[in-house]
Amino acid sequence: MTQNPNLAALSAAGVSVWLDDLSRERLQTGNLQQLIDTRSVVGVTTNPSIFQAALTSGTAYDEQVRELASRGADVDAVIRSATTDDVRNACDVLAKAYEASGGVDGRVSIEVDPRLAHDTDKTILQAIELWKIVDRPNLLIKIPATLAGLPAITAVIAEGISVNVTLIFSVERHRAVMDAYLTGLEKAREAGHDLSKIHSVASFFVSRVDTEIDARLEKLGGSALGLRGKAGVANARLAYAAYEQVFGGPQFANLKAEGARVQRPLWASTGVKNPDYSDTLYVTELVAVDTVNTMPEKTMEAVADHGQVTGDTISGTAAASQAVFEELSAVGIDLDDVFNVLEVEGVDKFEKSWSELLEAVQGQLDALK
């Protein structure tokens, strides 16, 4: 099998292509392996919404649910077993990519229970538990970048566990996440962990920023409409500039000398919501070395079909990106409120998906009694 040239070009430009989806069907049919072979996929991300969709459609999980029910497993145990089995198997499928990249790629993410987003201690405990259950070196534990999540990130990194920090919307919070990572590395070093084995990505959400800001611009009307569709890319480009600053600084230099890895920016929420925009916008406009782009399959196929990858589209854009935000503020967009709303909605969305999943699986268990 040959790799699609557009996605191969993206990979060659320094962007790791990850699939933002996982299901037992993808694993059983060989679809995930096919995407690795033809779409340059070297990683997988999951979230509560993805698992809710996977476990509540089709029959792929029915046999496991019946078997667990016969042993008296409750709904939480069933979901934990099903999701960690899928993630472990995906880790095994991606083991070659993990080895070939020296541990940088070949990564699969699993998220802590979204109901714990504001509970630091329980997040830490569940992160450690998930790490032990999946028991694969190429696992990433997803922890939300809420205020309660920040100390959990530090504590989990300090345990030598690799982390995908999710639900980052603002550059300010991204800086706090990078600080939490570096502090965690320092504590891991004190505890005697091999820093080269600890990996992290910072999942910076893109399309949702445009969706929220565009809606506010449309209410303002007039000349403000000219700023639609600019905030998401500009925000991500500013996040990359912050990444370069932090990981080019003295605090990381000391850790790097002992084998520490950078915390790569990961562009998340890259499916384009507005049909007026290019369906490859959040891929082709966010190309730079040491980044990850996790894509829904629809976006991946759009890039494969007509994505124009022309090399680095981020470096040198910080001043222009900052100007976009100054214009947004000038027309009356309250950016602090935008980012707060997005974080609250992001946590709520995952909680709702998890609740729907619990309800659906509980219904299956009740039907089996």
Side-chain angles (χ1 to χ4, degrees):
M1 291 189 188
T2 56
Q3 295 290 358
N4 173 270
N6 296 343
L7 288 159
L10 188 65
S11 180
V15 181
S16 292
V17 178
W18 290 8
L19 173 70
D20 191 29
D21 193 47
L22 183 64
S23 66
R24 188 147 302 174
E25 186 177 0
R26 280 195 191 279
L27 291 161
Q28 290 176 339
T29 61
N31 170 263
L32 177 57
Q33 185 62 53
Q34 186 179 22
L35 293 174
I36 292 167
D37 294 338
T38 66
R39 296 294 184 261
S40 297
V41 167
V42 289
V44 169
T45 49
T46 69
N47 61 45
S49 298
I50 285 169
F51 278 131
Q52 187 265 338
L55 269 79
T56 56
S57 60
T59 59
Y61 297 90
D62 289 1
E63 185 180 345
Q64 184 175 20
V65 172
R66 278 195 299 272
E67 195 263 330
L68 289 166
S70 71
R71 289 195 265 142
D74 64 12
V75 64
D76 287 301
V78 170
I79 292 171
R80 186 165 54 249
S81 292
T83 56
T84 54
D85 282 358
D86 280 0
V87 168
R88 185 184 306 107
N89 289 332
C91 282
D92 291 344
V93 173
L94 282 152
K96 286 183 181 176
Y98 172 74
E99 289 161 12
S101 65
V104 174
D105 283 313
R107 296 276 169 176
V108 184
S109 298
I110 188 169
E111 190 158 343
V112 295
D113 187 327
R115 296 170 295 179
L116 305 180
H118 303 295
D119 189 322
T120 302
D121 292 342
K122 287 183 179 177
T123 293
I124 295 166
L125 289 172
Q126 190 174 84
I128 294 169
E129 179 188 33
L130 288 170
W131 182 257
K132 288 177 179 175
I133 292 171
V134 175
D135 191 27
R136 292 294 185 271
N138 49 333
L139 178 67
L140 290 171
I141 303 295
K142 283 180 91 169
I143 297 175
T146 55
L147 291 176
L150 294 172
I153 293 157
T154 294
V156 173
I157 291 289
E159 292 287 333
I161 295 171
S162 296
V163 172
N164 175 346
V165 184
T166 189
L167 291 176
I168 308 172
F169 296 98
S170 70
V171 176
E172 179 185 17
R173 186 58 59 84
H174 181 217
R175 285 185 176 276
V177 165
M178 291 187 284
D179 184 60
Y181 173 62
L182 292 175
T183 303
L185 286 177
E186 288 169 348
K187 293 189 175 192
R189 178 177 59 189
E190 290 167 17
H193 291 291
D194 179 352
L195 298 189
S196 69
K197 304 291 188 192
I198 304 171
H199 286 254
S200 185
V201 292
S203 292
F204 200 86
F205 280 53
V206 189
S207 67
R208 293 190 200 180
V209 173
D210 273 339
T211 300
E212 179 65 26
I213 289 180
D214 282 3
R216 297 183 185 212
L217 291 169
E218 281 157 16
K219 285 182 181 176
L220 291 169
S223 61
L225 296 176
L227 290 167
R228 286 178 299 181
K230 294 184 177 180
V233 167
N235 198 37
R237 287 172 170 175
L238 288 171
Y240 189 79
Y243 154 80
E244 288 187 303
Q245 183 182 43
V246 169
F247 288 97
Q251 186 180 7
F252 181 68
N254 293 330
L255 292 161
K256 184 180 179 182
E258 297 186 43
R261 314 282 192 140
V262 297
Q263 182 186 54
R264 290 186 295 168
L266 178 151
W267 312 129
S269 181
T270 55
V272 176
K273 310 290 195 293
N274 189 329
D276 294 337
Y277 304 157
S278 164
D279 55 2
T280 63
L281 174 67
Y282 304 125
V283 179
T284 58
E285 296 305 306
L286 294 174
V287 177
V289 296
D290 289 333
T291 59
V292 179
N293 197 306
T294 187
M295 309 174 210
E297 190 171 15
K298 183 179 177 183
T299 301
M300 190 176 290
E301 289 307 316
V303 175
D305 182 64
H306 54 265
Q308 296 185 345
V309 180
T310 56
D312 189 332
T313 52
I314 295 181
S315 297
T317 63
S321 298
Q322 185 59 45
V324 170
F325 277 85
E326 288 167 5
E327 289 181 74
L328 288 166
S329 295
V331 299
I333 299 296
D334 183 342
L335 294 165
D336 287 339
D337 184 64
V338 165
F339 296 134
N340 182 60
V341 164
L342 287 170
E343 181 178 301
V344 170
E345 286 181 352
V347 172
D348 286 349
K349 180 186 177 190
F350 285 163
E351 277 192 23
K352 183 172 181 285
S353 294
W354 203 249
S355 295
E356 289 171 358
L357 176 56
L358 288 164
E359 192 176 321
V361 174
Q362 186 62 59
Q364 286 180 278
L365 292 174
D366 291 342
L368 288 166
K369 285 180 181 175

PDB file of all heavy atoms in Angstrom, residues 227 230-231 233-235 237-238 241 313-328:
ATOM      1  N   LEU A 227     -14.071  39.823  10.271  1.00  0.00           N
ATOM      2  CA  LEU A 227     -13.153  39.073  11.134  1.00  0.00           C
ATOM      3  C   LEU A 227     -13.569  37.607  11.301  1.00  0.00           C
ATOM      4  O   LEU A 227     -12.879  36.837  11.978  1.00  0.00           O
ATOM      5  CB  LEU A 227     -13.072  39.740  12.523  1.00  0.00           C
ATOM      6  CG  LEU A 227     -12.359  41.093  12.559  1.00  0.00           C
ATOM      7  CD1 LEU A 227     -12.613  41.791  13.890  1.00  0.00           C
ATOM      8  CD2 LEU A 227     -10.869  40.920  12.322  1.00  0.00           C
ATOM      9  N   LYS A 230     -11.250  33.943  11.357  1.00  0.00           N
ATOM     10  CA  LYS A 230      -9.828  34.259  11.519  1.00  0.00           C
ATOM     11  C   LYS A 230      -9.276  33.896  12.897  1.00  0.00           C
ATOM     12  O   LYS A 230      -8.081  33.711  13.071  1.00  0.00           O
ATOM     13  CB  LYS A 230      -9.594  35.754  11.269  1.00  0.00           C
ATOM     14  CG  LYS A 230      -9.863  36.182   9.831  1.00  0.00           C
ATOM     15  CD  LYS A 230      -9.532  37.651   9.626  1.00  0.00           C
ATOM     16  CE  LYS A 230      -9.732  38.069   8.169  1.00  0.00           C
ATOM     17  NZ  LYS A 230      -9.416  39.507   7.965  1.00  0.00           N
ATOM     18  N   ALA A 231     -10.154  33.824  13.888  1.00  0.00           N
ATOM     19  CA  ALA A 231      -9.697  33.684  15.280  1.00  0.00           C
ATOM     20  C   ALA A 231      -9.079  32.320  15.571  1.00  0.00           C
ATOM     21  O   ALA A 231      -8.067  32.227  16.269  1.00  0.00           O
ATOM     22  CB  ALA A 231     -10.849  33.950  16.240  1.00  0.00           C
ATOM     23  N   VAL A 233      -7.453  29.989  13.745  1.00  0.00           N
ATOM     24  CA  VAL A 233      -6.084  29.798  13.253  1.00  0.00           C
ATOM     25  C   VAL A 233      -5.123  30.749  13.952  1.00  0.00           C
ATOM     26  O   VAL A 233      -4.026  30.352  14.368  1.00  0.00           O
ATOM     27  CB  VAL A 233      -6.035  29.977  11.720  1.00  0.00           C
ATOM     28  CG1 VAL A 233      -4.595  30.099  11.231  1.00  0.00           C
ATOM     29  CG2 VAL A 233      -6.736  28.807  11.029  1.00  0.00           C
ATOM     30  N   ALA A 234      -5.535  32.016  14.114  1.00  0.00           N
ATOM     31  CA  ALA A 234      -4.663  32.998  14.771  1.00  0.00           C
ATOM     32  C   ALA A 234      -4.350  32.570  16.205  1.00  0.00           C
ATOM     33  O   ALA A 234      -3.208  32.675  16.670  1.00  0.00           O
ATOM     34  CB  ALA A 234      -5.326  34.376  14.771  1.00  0.00           C
ATOM     35  N   ASN A 235      -5.355  32.060  16.910  1.00  0.00           N
ATOM     36  CA  ASN A 235      -5.182  31.613  18.296  1.00  0.00           C
ATOM     37  C   ASN A 235      -4.185  30.464  18.372  1.00  0.00           C
ATOM     38  O   ASN A 235      -3.279  30.448  19.224  1.00  0.00           O
ATOM     39  CB  ASN A 235      -6.553  31.176  18.838  1.00  0.00           C
ATOM     40  CG  ASN A 235      -6.603  31.107  20.353  1.00  0.00           C
ATOM     41  OD1 ASN A 235      -6.006  31.923  21.045  1.00  0.00           O
ATOM     42  ND2 ASN A 235      -7.363  30.167  20.869  1.00  0.00           N
ATOM     43  N   ARG A 237      -1.867  29.724  16.162  1.00  0.00           N
ATOM     44  CA  ARG A 237      -0.529  30.212  15.794  1.00  0.00           C
ATOM     45  C   ARG A 237       0.135  30.935  16.960  1.00  0.00           C
ATOM     46  O   ARG A 237       1.355  30.810  17.170  1.00  0.00           O
ATOM     47  CB  ARG A 237      -0.639  31.122  14.573  1.00  0.00           C
ATOM     48  CG  ARG A 237      -0.926  30.351  13.284  1.00  0.00           C
ATOM     49  CD  ARG A 237      -1.222  31.264  12.111  1.00  0.00           C
ATOM     50  NE  ARG A 237      -1.252  30.531  10.847  1.00  0.00           N
ATOM     51  CZ  ARG A 237      -1.575  31.073   9.682  1.00  0.00           C
ATOM     52  NH1 ARG A 237      -1.899  32.369   9.616  1.00  0.00           N
ATOM     53  NH2 ARG A 237      -1.578  30.344   8.575  1.00  0.00           N
ATOM     54  N   LEU A 238      -0.640  31.648  17.754  1.00  0.00           N
ATOM     55  CA  LEU A 238      -0.086  32.308  18.951  1.00  0.00           C
ATOM     56  C   LEU A 238       0.311  31.261  19.994  1.00  0.00           C
ATOM     57  O   LEU A 238       1.302  31.437  20.715  1.00  0.00           O
ATOM     58  CB  LEU A 238      -1.093  33.300  19.535  1.00  0.00           C
ATOM     59  CG  LEU A 238      -1.306  34.571  18.705  1.00  0.00           C
ATOM     60  CD1 LEU A 238      -2.490  35.369  19.258  1.00  0.00           C
ATOM     61  CD2 LEU A 238      -0.039  35.449  18.716  1.00  0.00           C
ATOM     62  N   ALA A 241       3.662  30.018  19.019  1.00  0.00           N
ATOM     63  CA  ALA A 241       4.703  30.990  19.377  1.00  0.00           C
ATOM     64  C   ALA A 241       5.042  30.885  20.865  1.00  0.00           C
ATOM     65  O   ALA A 241       6.216  30.956  21.258  1.00  0.00           O
ATOM     66  CB  ALA A 241       4.244  32.405  19.037  1.00  0.00           C
ATOM     67  N   THR A 313       3.273  26.878   7.700  1.00  0.00           N
ATOM     68  CA  THR A 313       2.334  28.000   7.580  1.00  0.00           C
ATOM     69  C   THR A 313       2.122  28.709   8.914  1.00  0.00           C
ATOM     70  O   THR A 313       1.182  29.485   9.067  1.00  0.00           O
ATOM     71  CB  THR A 313       0.974  27.519   7.037  1.00  0.00           C
ATOM     72  OG1 THR A 313       0.513  26.409   7.829  1.00  0.00           O
ATOM     73  CG2 THR A 313       1.066  27.085   5.587  1.00  0.00           C
ATOM     74  N   ILE A 314       3.007  28.453   9.880  1.00  0.00           N
ATOM     75  CA  ILE A 314       2.876  29.068  11.209  1.00  0.00           C
ATOM     76  C   ILE A 314       4.015  30.032  11.516  1.00  0.00           C
ATOM     77  O   ILE A 314       3.770  31.153  11.989  1.00  0.00           O
ATOM     78  CB  ILE A 314       2.797  27.987  12.308  1.00  0.00           C
ATOM     79  CG1 ILE A 314       1.529  27.141  12.153  1.00  0.00           C
ATOM     80  CG2 ILE A 314       2.836  28.635  13.695  1.00  0.00           C
ATOM     81  CD1 ILE A 314       1.353  26.066  13.211  1.00  0.00           C
ATOM     82  N   SER A 315       5.244  29.611  11.272  1.00  0.00           N
ATOM     83  CA  SER A 315       6.394  30.443  11.648  1.00  0.00           C
ATOM     84  C   SER A 315       6.299  31.832  11.019  1.00  0.00           C
ATOM     85  O   SER A 315       5.967  31.979   9.835  1.00  0.00           O
ATOM     86  CB  SER A 315       7.693  29.768  11.196  1.00  0.00           C
ATOM     87  OG  SER A 315       7.851  28.526  11.855  1.00  0.00           O
ATOM     88  N   GLY A 316       6.566  32.832  11.837  1.00  0.00           N
ATOM     89  CA  GLY A 316       6.545  34.209  11.344  1.00  0.00           C
ATOM     90  C   GLY A 316       5.173  34.858  11.319  1.00  0.00           C
ATOM     91  O   GLY A 316       5.027  35.981  10.816  1.00  0.00           O
ATOM     92  N   THR A 317       4.155  34.150  11.866  1.00  0.00           N
ATOM     93  CA  THR A 317       2.784  34.688  11.805  1.00  0.00           C
ATOM     94  C   THR A 317       2.302  35.291  13.127  1.00  0.00           C
ATOM     95  O   THR A 317       1.160  35.724  13.220  1.00  0.00           O
ATOM     96  CB  THR A 317       1.786  33.590  11.396  1.00  0.00           C
ATOM     97  OG1 THR A 317       1.795  32.560  12.404  1.00  0.00           O
ATOM     98  CG2 THR A 317       2.127  32.975  10.047  1.00  0.00           C
ATOM     99  N   ALA A 318       3.151  35.313  14.145  1.00  0.00           N
ATOM    100  CA  ALA A 318       2.694  35.728  15.472  1.00  0.00           C
ATOM    101  C   ALA A 318       2.175  37.166  15.494  1.00  0.00           C
ATOM    102  O   ALA A 318       1.120  37.448  16.090  1.00  0.00           O
ATOM    103  CB  ALA A 318       3.815  35.554  16.494  1.00  0.00           C
ATOM    104  N   ALA A 319       2.891  38.084  14.853  1.00  0.00           N
ATOM    105  CA  ALA A 319       2.472  39.496  14.882  1.00  0.00           C
ATOM    106  C   ALA A 319       1.120  39.678  14.198  1.00  0.00           C
ATOM    107  O   ALA A 319       0.223  40.370  14.722  1.00  0.00           O
ATOM    108  CB  ALA A 319       3.527  40.374  14.211  1.00  0.00           C
ATOM    109  N   ALA A 320       0.946  39.056  13.042  1.00  0.00           N
ATOM    110  CA  ALA A 320      -0.329  39.157  12.332  1.00  0.00           C
ATOM    111  C   ALA A 320      -1.452  38.496  13.125  1.00  0.00           C
ATOM    112  O   ALA A 320      -2.593  38.990  13.141  1.00  0.00           O
ATOM    113  CB  ALA A 320      -0.206  38.508  10.949  1.00  0.00           C
ATOM    114  N   SER A 321      -1.141  37.390  13.800  1.00  0.00           N
ATOM    115  CA  SER A 321      -2.146  36.696  14.606  1.00  0.00           C
ATOM    116  C   SER A 321      -2.555  37.543  15.806  1.00  0.00           C
ATOM    117  O   SER A 321      -3.736  37.615  16.161  1.00  0.00           O
ATOM    118  CB  SER A 321      -1.600  35.340  15.068  1.00  0.00           C
ATOM    119  OG  SER A 321      -1.308  34.519  13.960  1.00  0.00           O
ATOM    120  N   GLN A 322      -1.568  38.196  16.428  1.00  0.00           N
ATOM    121  CA  GLN A 322      -1.871  39.089  17.555  1.00  0.00           C
ATOM    122  C   GLN A 322      -2.753  40.246  17.094  1.00  0.00           C
ATOM    123  O   GLN A 322      -3.664  40.679  17.804  1.00  0.00           O
ATOM    124  CB  GLN A 322      -0.573  39.613  18.176  1.00  0.00           C
ATOM    125  CG  GLN A 322      -0.781  40.452  19.432  1.00  0.00           C
ATOM    126  CD  GLN A 322      -1.490  39.685  20.536  1.00  0.00           C
ATOM    127  OE1 GLN A 322      -1.165  38.534  20.817  1.00  0.00           O
ATOM    128  NE2 GLN A 322      -2.489  40.304  21.157  1.00  0.00           N
ATOM    129  N   ALA A 323      -2.507  40.740  15.878  1.00  0.00           N
ATOM    130  CA  ALA A 323      -3.306  41.846  15.333  1.00  0.00           C
ATOM    131  C   ALA A 323      -4.772  41.443  15.184  1.00  0.00           C
ATOM    132  O   ALA A 323      -5.671  42.269  15.400  1.00  0.00           O
ATOM    133  CB  ALA A 323      -2.727  42.285  13.988  1.00  0.00           C
ATOM    134  N   VAL A 324      -5.018  40.177  14.821  1.00  0.00           N
ATOM    135  CA  VAL A 324      -6.397  39.683  14.717  1.00  0.00           C
ATOM    136  C   VAL A 324      -7.103  39.814  16.061  1.00  0.00           C
ATOM    137  O   VAL A 324      -8.251  40.281  16.146  1.00  0.00           O
ATOM    138  CB  VAL A 324      -6.424  38.217  14.237  1.00  0.00           C
ATOM    139  CG1 VAL A 324      -7.827  37.619  14.368  1.00  0.00           C
ATOM    140  CG2 VAL A 324      -5.945  38.108  12.792  1.00  0.00           C
ATOM    141  N   PHE A 325      -6.418  39.439  17.132  1.00  0.00           N
ATOM    142  CA  PHE A 325      -7.032  39.502  18.453  1.00  0.00           C
ATOM    143  C   PHE A 325      -7.222  40.934  18.938  1.00  0.00           C
ATOM    144  O   PHE A 325      -8.189  41.247  19.639  1.00  0.00           O
ATOM    145  CB  PHE A 325      -6.236  38.642  19.442  1.00  0.00           C
ATOM    146  CG  PHE A 325      -6.631  37.198  19.351  1.00  0.00           C
ATOM    147  CD1 PHE A 325      -6.057  36.364  18.404  1.00  0.00           C
ATOM    148  CD2 PHE A 325      -7.626  36.684  20.153  1.00  0.00           C
ATOM    149  CE1 PHE A 325      -6.456  35.050  18.264  1.00  0.00           C
ATOM    150  CE2 PHE A 325      -8.037  35.361  20.038  1.00  0.00           C
ATOM    151  CZ  PHE A 325      -7.445  34.547  19.085  1.00  0.00           C
ATOM    152  N   GLU A 326      -6.317  41.805  18.540  1.00  0.00           N
ATOM    153  CA  GLU A 326      -6.500  43.220  18.881  1.00  0.00           C
ATOM    154  C   GLU A 326      -7.720  43.792  18.158  1.00  0.00           C
ATOM    155  O   GLU A 326      -8.490  44.568  18.735  1.00  0.00           O
ATOM    156  CB  GLU A 326      -5.231  44.001  18.528  1.00  0.00           C
ATOM    157  CG  GLU A 326      -4.082  43.693  19.486  1.00  0.00           C
ATOM    158  CD  GLU A 326      -2.730  44.189  18.994  1.00  0.00           C
ATOM    159  OE1 GLU A 326      -2.690  44.859  17.944  1.00  0.00           O
ATOM    160  OE2 GLU A 326      -1.712  43.875  19.657  1.00  0.00           O
ATOM    161  N   GLU A 327      -7.925  43.366  16.920  1.00  0.00           N
ATOM    162  CA  GLU A 327      -9.111  43.812  16.168  1.00  0.00           C
ATOM    163  C   GLU A 327     -10.387  43.249  16.796  1.00  0.00           C
ATOM    164  O   GLU A 327     -11.402  43.946  16.880  1.00  0.00           O
ATOM    165  CB  GLU A 327      -9.010  43.370  14.707  1.00  0.00           C
ATOM    166  CG  GLU A 327      -7.981  44.104  13.876  1.00  0.00           C
ATOM    167  CD  GLU A 327      -7.972  43.608  12.437  1.00  0.00           C
ATOM    168  OE1 GLU A 327      -8.914  43.950  11.706  1.00  0.00           O
ATOM    169  OE2 GLU A 327      -7.038  42.871  12.068  1.00  0.00           O
ATOM    170  N   LEU A 328     -10.343  42.000  17.217  1.00  0.00           N
ATOM    171  CA  LEU A 328     -11.514  41.394  17.859  1.00  0.00           C
ATOM    172  C   LEU A 328     -11.890  42.134  19.137  1.00  0.00           C
ATOM    173  O   LEU A 328     -13.072  42.418  19.386  1.00  0.00           O
ATOM    174  CB  LEU A 328     -11.243  39.917  18.169  1.00  0.00           C
ATOM    175  CG  LEU A 328     -11.199  38.977  16.961  1.00  0.00           C
ATOM    176  CD1 LEU A 328     -10.596  37.632  17.347  1.00  0.00           C
ATOM    177  CD2 LEU A 328     -12.598  38.778  16.366  1.00  0.00           C
TER     178      LEU A 328
END
